Amino acid sequence: MQVSLDEKLGALSQISQRKLLDILTKISGRKDLIIDSSLIKPLERIVGVSKLRAHGVDKIYKLEKGDIPFTNTQRVFFVNSDLITVKHVSDKINGEISQKNDGNSYHIILVGRKLQSVVNMLETEGTLGYVSLFVFQWELIKLDTKFLSMEFHSLYKSLFVDGDQSYLPVLARSIWTLCTILGRPLVTVVQGKHSQVIDKMLGKMFEELGTPNRSDSEVGCMFIVDRDVDYASSLLTGCTYSCLLDEVFGIKSGIVEIKDNKNDIPGGYFLSSADEVYSQIKGRHFSDVFPYLSTKTKELSQTKEKSQTMAIHEMKQFISKELSAVTNFKKKLAYHISACESIISHMGHRYEGLQNAEQNILESRSRRETLTYIEDCLSMNICDKYAVLRLMCLMSLTQDGLFPDELQRLKLQFFHMFGYQHLTVFHALEKSGLCVEQPALLSTEVKGVNLANKVVQAVPLPTRKSTFTNFAQKLKLFPPVGDNYELNNPTDLSYVFGRAYIPALCQIVNQICKKEITIEDLPKILPNCTVKNLGGDQQNFRTFLIYIVGGVTYAEISAFQLLEKLTGFQIVIASSSTINGNSIMKSFFQQ
Amino acid sequence: MAEKEGYWYESAVQQTSRNFFEDESSATKMCGVSLGGTAKLSQQIKAGLGGIGTDRYPVDSLSGSLSGLVLKGDEEKVDLELHQLIPERTLQKIMDADNEDFSFITHSLTTEKEELRMLRRHYESRWSPPEVDSVVTASLLGRPYSLEHYKSLKHKKELLKAAEMIGDGDLILNVILFLNRTLKKKLFHDILAASPVAVQHYTNYLATTKQIPVLTDTLEMLGRSRDAAMKLYFEACTNPQRMLQRLRVCSRNHFTETKDKTVLDNFIRLLEWQETYDGGKLLGSSVATCLSDLCLNHWELPKTSPHCPAAFCQNQVVSDRLYQWAALIARGKRQAWADIDGIFLTKGWLGGKKAKTDLPMEEVVSCMSRLGAPQTLLSSYMEFVDNLDKRLSLAKKLQCHRSAIDTYIALKDRLSLLSYKANLVPQSEDYIYAEQSLRNPAIRWKN
């Protein structure tokens, strides 16, 4: 039987499920499961309630501050392996034990890895004797066709804000499993500091845990890249339906929750390709979503009219065969229409201004206008603090930093609007290189440096190109201006950003597919990039695996999916999590 | 703090615009799709559909069983069984990788003699440090290991180096805590100073476990006083009761960088001011929130009072635009339209009035309209929207007919004015004005 690549990726969730159920089997008897609320959605993708029940789970509770009722003497905590969460669990267990010690037994399932600091803490707290510890390292979770994610949403912060590398082995392991199933890729491109570390670990794992049993490979070329290779793609506002859903509501593990004063729809909604409405519109430019929804609605009302004139036997047939399908379809349609409505009411008032500002920033033009726009945002409270910061970071990124007095002025206005306590946010952004001062052209000791800077501001130097501009031009990330481009029938990848910009990784793969560049060229184009060739025929591979360390955006996913259609290559996208500009900015607020 | 901010948000563009477009939702557009259009379609489809999602509880959903509702799309087509997807041997390999005793399984020894030899070797070497590489591997694969036998300084350093080489953060931290436990301060600090990655993990750990004094001392020792200052600042901000006191200590002892210090000193002045204002009701609020409150409740205070808006702006070096926007909204809410000119206008050269603002005038006018400003005021401010096209579309949107007619005249666009007139109530004041203008021979129409 021929199994497709995508079906094979479905094995990953089943493996995760088996691992988890194995652990639950080891804890014999009936038990309460207490889940860290951030883990509910990923777990939803791995196992259903009935399987859990079949493995002895009786009641399921959310891990919360208050008391958790006892229904069984066995209590299993299912939590993230981080010090703070586990300390909370430890306190809870110690509290329960001191209250009534009537033979309860405790188990902690740590997600990810057993961090030594966590084990030491449990030892210090005296909890270790009472609990048994398990580690559950789930495999990549398949969220959509050829799209995999570890759903570690705090990983960006750990790596790029804190510089904490504790979870890199977990990512390396996820790649190891993937390679064990699909075979070792013929070529591996590794870019960026963290990816280099992961690659080293991966090599060690092949040594210790074994290489794939198969010698062939279903993946021709694997990319392991750091998120920071293309920050622009994560700071810009994507224009496809899935991008905007994520932008406005935040999609977690492929589940979205619409929150809106008017259209509040309780509960979450599974976004998957099995939903025929969603699979039709997810990658469309937003301007092209409404026409589809509206056409489908009209078609439905025609069906309804038709049904009213049906003869009895036709009606019977309709009710037994089609009605539930129609109602089902209608519900999905209704959901996505409400979602669109909600998106417009959240973003409509500022969308045009934002697009305009982003475009100007990308192309380094109308600097004054952009600054004014940012200041307008700050004084009139047009958007939230994350959106303002994104623009500032984008500006800093594309122009090698903001002028010192500009930055100071914007910072002050930011503090006035959102509070002085955010001084540390700018410090963290500066350290990460996301929002920095442009190094002054003149030594700061020279008097009148302010004047000099003002002159620089007033007279743009056309010859000097920023690092970003150079990079973008080298890779042709700004699409050529064409007149007859239709956003509803995109022919290049820039449509995901309203024709302003092509996500760098998508463009690289695109150029390789078209043989405009070779893989061997990449170390010259990308910083800190190495290429490893296992040998074999490089010319003929048709499959890419792209693993982004630190998070992938829905814009990139949409662009890759279009690229598949345009070129006929297969592209598997994997990442530590999905990410967008807002979540990146939020990472700098939690310290 | 968060609740208080609601006060300001209430007046923000985003919120008010939503109310405003309730009636005129066709005006909010995104990518050519209007809010009104989607709302209409939404009603159409929901008609005859008993709400979305309230009647469908998925059977197997976790979130469903935890929080009530989850709408699940159709099940993706039933997955193939695992054994159909991947060979058993591959699956076994993947499952084995999680096993803590993995090495015994794979390297199963052939003879008892060999096994005995290996065990003896283990026993004999039980007091000497294990190979650095074996520790690294064990950590990487999640297997138990011990550091206790690394006694010599040389071995300790090698261990850290190996941990850094592989880049396993958990191991790096574990080693560094081990070194801290087993070395005197001087030696430990020397090692830290030579290893930025180790410092990173160590300081993260200290921050997470709230060992702030150790953390800041370490940073200071490494010459990273700005990082130390920021950490103290962050900590100060998390404690509302002692915030002011702690920030003062920061300012006195830790902040040397002038730009940061300017911000901090502003903050301290703000908190001091808030303590004196209205029983401290705004303690911890942002400058914008305070300013709104002042403009709403203390507009009339003399310039000499520290609680008058102008004095507050001076105290906090508030930008004109923020002041003007806050004042506009506050005075508008009070319907004190006479105050508006004072906010935006200055005397021009020849006694005429000029608008002096960095804010986009069309936003100012829209905001006035939302707050219910009289038409005459709107019309007079409409004049300050320099871009005629913008002025025209704004005038139309706000139904400010007089301004629309004037703009058509300024554009010399007779035909458009004609068709605009057709939509006006016949014989209304605006209608007559349009008619008069159309007949006015002094206007040189372009069409």
Side-chain angles (χ1 to χ4, degrees):
Chain A
M1 194 178 98
Q2 194 63 35
V3 181
S4 74
L5 176 61
D6 190 52
E7 283 170 329
K8 235 172 243 181
L9 298 176
L12 291 166
S13 305
Q14 295 196 45
I15 294 172
S16 304
Q17 190 184 87
R18 186 177 282 199
K19 283 183 174 183
L20 177 61
L21 297 179
D22 277 0
I23 293 172
L24 290 175
T25 310
K26 281 184 201 151
I27 307 166
S28 57
R30 280 156 68 83
K31 49 220 162 231
D32 295 337
L33 186 65
I34 300 147
I35 309 184
D36 199 335
S37 54
S38 69
L39 296 174
I40 294 172
K41 282 177 184 147
L43 194 59
E44 185 96 71
R45 288 280 172 179
I46 293 169
V47 70
V49 175
S50 55
K51 284 253 170 65
L52 289 178
R53 295 234 187 282
H55 287 78
V57 172
D58 185 15
K59 283 273 192 284
I60 304 174
Y61 301 105
K62 245 189 243 183
L63 178 62
E64 276 161 342
K65 285 255 148 36
D67 284 342
I68 300 162
F70 283 88
T71 28
N72 284 285
T73 53
Q74 301 238 53
R75 286 161 87 70
V76 183
F77 289 86
F78 186 80
V79 293
N80 274 311
S81 180
D82 71 75
L83 263 180
I84 292 172
T85 313
V86 183
K87 173 75 168 42
H88 172 53
V89 171
S90 164
D91 289 349
K92 214 167 202 68
I93 293 176
N94 283 336
E96 288 184 10
I97 287 170
S98 68
Q99 271 177 23
K100 46 173 179 177
N101 193 359
D102 46 6
N104 288 327
S105 69
Y106 293 92
H107 313 270
I108 301 177
I109 300 176
L110 298 169
V111 169
R113 75 184 291 207
K114 199 196 289 185
L115 292 177
Q116 209 54 50
S117 53
V118 165
V119 178
N120 292 345
M121 185 271 294
L122 287 172
E123 184 182 345
T124 325
E125 294 288 318
T127 324
L128 214 49
Y130 299 104
V131 298
S132 53
L133 281 181
F134 298 90
V135 185
F136 175 44
Q137 188 166 355
W138 63 50
E139 301 297 344
L140 283 157
I141 299 169
K142 186 169 164 242
L143 297 180
D144 201 345
T145 315
K146 278 175 261 170
F147 167 43
L148 309 166
S149 166
M150 285 302 277
E151 288 304 284
F152 290 154
H153 284 275
S154 59
L155 196 85
Y156 174 83
K157 179 186 181 286
S158 307
L159 286 178
F160 293 93
V161 183
D162 301 336
D164 175 356
Q165 305 175 355
S166 304
Y167 265 71
L168 292 181
V170 185
L171 298 190
R173 258 296 287 283
S174 73
I175 302 177
W176 177 83
T177 305
L178 201 56
C179 291
T180 304
I181 295 174
L182 300 177
R184 263 176 108 163
L186 301 176
V187 189
T188 306
V189 180
V190 185
Q191 186 282 327
K193 186 174 126 193
H194 300 303
S195 296
Q196 297 287 1
V197 172
I198 288 176
D199 184 54
K200 214 184 296 171
M201 292 175 171
L202 185 60
K204 192 106 188 147
M205 286 174 184
F206 281 128
E207 269 172 43
E208 296 293 328
L209 301 174
T211 47
N213 297 328
R214 56 194 292 181
S215 54
D216 65 329
S217 176
E218 293 185 52
V219 178
C221 177
M222 170 165 76
F223 279 75
I224 309 175
V225 291
D226 282 11
R227 175 65 270 169
D228 59 5
V229 71
D230 179 19
Y231 262 134
S233 286
S234 44
L235 293 172
L236 290 166
T237 313
C239 305
T240 67
Y241 179 62
S242 55
C243 286
L244 287 166
L245 271 184
D246 187 43
E247 172 82 35
V248 175
F249 309 109
I251 302 175
K252 290 275 162 68
S253 305
I255 300 170
V256 68
E257 285 171 54
I258 295 186
K259 292 204 182 80
D260 183 321
N261 311 337
K262 221 177 104 208
N263 289 313
D264 223 353
I265 302 172
Y269 187 90
F270 273 74
L271 300 167
S272 87
S273 298
D275 172 345
E276 63 269 51
V277 181
Y278 180 66
S279 71
Q280 274 296 318
I281 58 176
K282 63 180 178 183
R284 290 187 191 217
H285 189 270
F286 194 69
S287 63
D288 190 31
V289 171
F290 189 72
Y292 173 85
L293 296 174
S294 145
T295 314
K296 287 290 158 193
T297 310
K298 275 186 202 122
E299 281 173 22
L300 272 185
S301 61
Q302 279 160 7
T303 323
K304 196 180 163 197
E305 275 165 32
K306 212 172 74 190
S307 71
Q308 277 159 357
T309 58
M310 277 177 194
I312 298 273
H313 71 280
E314 280 178 323
M315 187 66 105
K316 255 187 187 164
Q317 174 115 10
F318 177 75
I319 288 174
S320 66
K321 290 212 169 131
E322 287 172 51
L323 188 62
S324 83
V326 169
T327 315
N328 235 330
F329 186 78
K330 210 169 165 182
K331 274 183 192 163
K332 286 173 200 154
L333 211 49
Y335 191 88
H336 293 295
I337 292 170
S338 297
C340 281
E341 195 183 341
S342 227
I343 288 171
I344 299 175
S345 73
H346 272 92
M347 289 199 72
H349 67 285
R350 66 185 182 96
Y351 189 75
E352 202 181 319
L354 179 66
Q355 289 278 300
N356 185 35
E358 288 184 349
Q359 189 129 13
N360 284 339
I361 295 174
L362 276 174
E363 293 172 19
S364 307
R365 60 167 192 224
S366 316
R367 186 189 185 88
R368 206 163 279 277
E369 194 190 313
T370 307
L371 283 171
T372 306
Y373 177 75
I374 295 177
E375 287 183 80
D376 285 348
C377 288
L378 282 170
S379 47
M380 303 193 295
N381 203 12
I382 292 171
C383 50
D384 66 11
K385 49 184 184 275
Y386 308 118
V388 181
L389 269 188
R390 269 165 85 166
L391 286 173
M392 290 176 65
C393 290
L394 192 63
M395 200 158 170
S396 167
L397 174 78
T398 55
Q399 321 198 350
D400 290 333
L402 294 154
F403 293 121
D405 58 337
E406 267 171 19
L407 182 58
Q408 186 68 6
R409 197 173 73 230
L410 292 179
K411 269 161 83 170
L412 200 58
Q413 293 184 33
F414 188 93
F415 299 142
H416 283 164
M417 182 53 89
F418 300 112
Y420 285 111
Q421 66 272 28
H422 299 313
L423 177 64
T424 50
V425 173
F426 281 91
H427 179 63
L429 283 170
E430 188 187 319
K431 279 177 67 178
S432 74
L434 262 173
C435 187
V436 296
E437 272 183 16
Q438 203 169 79
L441 294 178
L442 296 168
S443 154
T444 38
E445 269 116 84
V446 180
K447 268 197 176 174
V449 64
N450 276 335
L451 182 69
N453 273 332
K454 277 193 183 113
V455 173
V456 172
Q457 273 178 62
V459 188
L461 304 171
T463 47
R464 206 183 131 270
K465 274 187 205 156
S466 69
T467 322
F468 171 81
T469 309
N470 274 323
F471 179 72
Q473 287 180 347
K474 202 156 43 175
L475 281 169
K476 305 191 186 118
L477 302 181
F478 302 135
V481 186
D483 296 329
N484 47 3
Y485 190 93
E486 292 164 24
L487 284 170
N488 57 7
N489 184 22
T491 48
D492 78 48
L493 309 178
S494 66
Y495 88 104
V496 297
F497 293 125
R499 297 236 63 213
Y501 180 76
I502 301 175
L505 290 169
C506 308
Q507 176 71 338
I508 288 169
V509 175
N510 182 27
Q511 291 187 336
I512 293 172
C513 291
K514 289 184 181 156
K515 299 209 175 1
E516 286 172 17
I517 55 173
T518 66
I519 294 176
E520 279 68 30
D521 293 336
L522 290 176
K524 280 176 268 170
I525 300 172
L526 298 171
N528 195 3
C529 173
T530 48
V531 173
K532 278 196 303 194
N533 202 330
L534 275 190
D537 187 4
Q538 239 194 76
Q539 297 302 312
N540 288 322
F541 64 73
R542 306 289 296 165
T543 306
F544 287 91
L545 167 66
I546 317 290
Y547 195 110
I548 306 178
V549 177
V552 62
T553 65
Y554 275 90
E556 286 165 324
I557 296 170
S558 296
F560 274 126
Q561 284 169 347
L562 175 66
L563 188 60
E564 272 200 318
K565 268 189 223 151
L566 293 175
T567 60
F569 280 75
Q570 297 211 72
I571 301 167
V572 178
I573 309 156
S575 186
S576 49
S577 73
T578 53
I579 203 166
N580 63 32
N582 294 335
S583 53
I584 288 187
M585 290 304 125
K586 272 181 201 158
S587 321
F588 288 90
F589 282 78
Q590 320 148 340
Q591 290 176 17
Chain B
M1 206 178 285
E3 291 136 282
K4 280 181 190 159
E5 251 155 45
Y7 178 83
W8 170 256
Y9 275 92
E10 196 192 340
S11 64
V13 171
Q14 192 187 344
Q15 300 296 324
T16 38
S17 70
R18 203 174 296 153
N19 299 335
F20 171 65
F21 287 129
E22 216 74 295
D23 335 299
E24 229 183 287
S25 54
S26 59
T28 305
K29 274 194 176 171
M30 192 163 147
C31 297
V33 184
S34 75
L35 189 56
T38 42
K40 227 171 91 189
L41 195 64
S42 179
Q43 272 174 2
Q44 196 182 333
I45 187 102
K46 277 184 203 157
L49 198 69
I52 325 171
T54 42
D55 58 338
R56 222 171 141 227
Y57 297 81
V59 195
D60 204 27
S61 151
L62 254 177
S63 334
S65 69
L66 274 168
S67 60
L69 301 166
V70 159
L71 238 181
K72 205 163 182 174
D74 284 350
E75 289 297 316
E76 290 193 44
K77 66 176 182 316
V78 181
D79 287 321
L80 295 166
E81 293 289 317
L82 252 182
H83 65 88
Q84 292 173 291
L85 296 170
I86 50 175
E88 188 58 35
R89 218 151 56 92
T90 305
L91 178 63
Q92 199 52 52
K93 183 177 257 170
I94 294 169
M95 299 303 287
D96 281 347
D98 272 356
N99 198 327
E100 287 192 0
D101 311 318
F102 178 67
S103 52
F104 263 108
I105 304 168
T106 49
H107 308 299
S108 55
L109 302 155
T110 42
T111 63
E112 262 182 34
K113 214 169 158 191
E114 252 182 85
E115 197 169 339
L116 191 66
R117 190 149 18 125
M118 199 197 76
L119 286 173
R120 185 173 291 142
R121 207 167 55 231
H122 268 282
Y123 182 76
E124 281 164 358
S125 63
R126 69 196 187 283
W127 303 118
S128 52
E131 289 285 319
V132 168
D133 199 45
S134 73
V135 171
V136 167
T137 309
S139 168
L140 197 60
L141 303 180
R143 294 172 194 159
Y145 62 88
S146 159
L147 303 179
E148 292 310 316
H149 297 306
Y150 288 89
K151 301 284 184 196
S152 79
L153 182 59
K154 180 168 161 280
H155 282 154
K156 286 178 207 275
K157 282 183 175 172
E158 277 171 9
L159 186 63
L160 181 62
K161 193 154 195 176
E164 287 184 334
M165 275 298 286
I166 192 72
D168 176 351
D170 188 44
L171 181 62
I172 294 172
L173 177 63
N174 200 23
V175 171
I176 208 78
L177 293 178
F178 168 70
L179 298 190
N180 186 25
R181 214 166 49 235
T182 57
L183 287 173
K184 68 171 179 176
K185 260 211 170 72
K186 165 83 176 61
L187 288 174
F188 178 61
H189 285 173
D190 286 349
I191 289 176
L192 274 185
S195 169
V197 179
V199 171
Q200 200 64 41
H201 287 85
Y202 182 54
T203 50
N204 281 339
Y205 174 78
L206 293 174
T208 311
T209 50
K210 293 275 169 224
Q211 305 182 47
I212 305 303
V214 188
L215 172 59
T216 49
D217 286 353
T218 309
L219 290 170
E220 293 279 4
M221 182 272 295
L222 293 164
R224 289 167 53 180
S225 48
R226 188 160 177 235
D227 291 336
M230 285 295 162
K231 202 67 225 175
L232 287 167
Y233 184 93
F234 183 79
E235 285 305 315
C237 291
T238 53
N239 185 338
Q241 277 83 44
R242 305 182 56 199
M243 181 149 64
L244 185 53
Q245 189 190 340
R246 288 188 178 181
L247 288 174
R248 282 187 185 130
V249 175
C250 277
S251 172
R252 250 197 326 272
N253 303 339
H254 300 281
F255 273 60
T256 45
E257 217 265 347
T258 45
K259 281 178 189 162
D260 292 342
K261 198 162 156 51
T262 311
V263 173
L264 172 55
D265 291 341
N266 273 357
F267 194 8
I268 292 175
R269 273 206 311 282
L270 175 67
L271 290 169
E272 286 167 349
W273 179 91
Q274 284 172 344
E275 281 187 341
T276 69
Y277 180 69
D278 208 349
K281 75 165 182 179
L282 292 179
L283 209 58
S285 305
S286 70
V287 167
T289 306
C290 295
L291 186 56
S292 280
D293 196 78
L294 288 179
C295 291
L296 207 54
N297 302 318
H298 298 284
W299 187 255
E300 318 292 349
L301 281 181
K303 287 239 159 74
T304 46
S305 159
H307 295 161
C308 95
F312 179 76
C313 286
Q314 211 168 17
N315 175 321
Q316 286 297 308
V317 207
V318 171
S319 70
D320 285 347
R321 55 200 323 144
L322 179 59
Y323 163 71
Q324 286 179 331
W325 189 253
L328 168 66
I329 288 173
R331 300 326 293 158
K333 275 189 179 165
R334 288 269 184 263
Q335 300 295 311
W337 301 111
D339 296 335
I340 301 294
D341 281 357
I343 303 170
F344 289 102
L345 302 188
T346 53
K347 283 218 176 82
W349 278 59
L350 302 163
K353 281 176 177 176
K354 259 177 58 182
K356 185 180 170 295
T357 180
D358 292 329
L359 295 168
M361 209 22 114
E362 58 271 25
E363 290 298 338
V364 172
V365 177
S366 295
C367 180
M368 284 182 194
S369 160
R370 281 197 294 275
L371 294 166
Q375 284 287 331
T376 46
L377 189 72
L378 287 183
S379 295
S380 70
Y381 274 81
M382 204 78 84
E383 299 295 306
F384 297 122
V385 178
D386 289 332
N387 182 318
L388 289 181
D389 293 330
K390 275 190 188 163
R391 192 194 295 174
L392 185 61
S393 66
L394 187 64
K396 284 190 196 161
K397 197 168 98 179
L398 304 182
Q399 307 260 308
C400 211
H401 302 308
R402 181 75 178 211
S403 299
I405 296 164
D406 282 338
T407 317
Y408 280 124
I409 295 170
L411 286 165
K412 303 192 172 57
D413 189 347
R414 191 180 61 94
L415 293 179
S416 302
L417 180 53
L418 265 175
S419 64
Y420 190 78
K421 190 193 78 173
N423 290 323
L424 294 174
V425 181
Q427 305 313 319
S428 64
E429 201 179 317
D430 295 318
Y431 184 88
I432 294 168
Y433 178 65
E435 234 171 20
Q436 283 170 351
S437 308
L438 282 165
R439 281 200 301 268
N440 187 346
I443 303 169
R444 295 181 177 272
W445 300 103
K446 71 174 182 191
N447 51 22

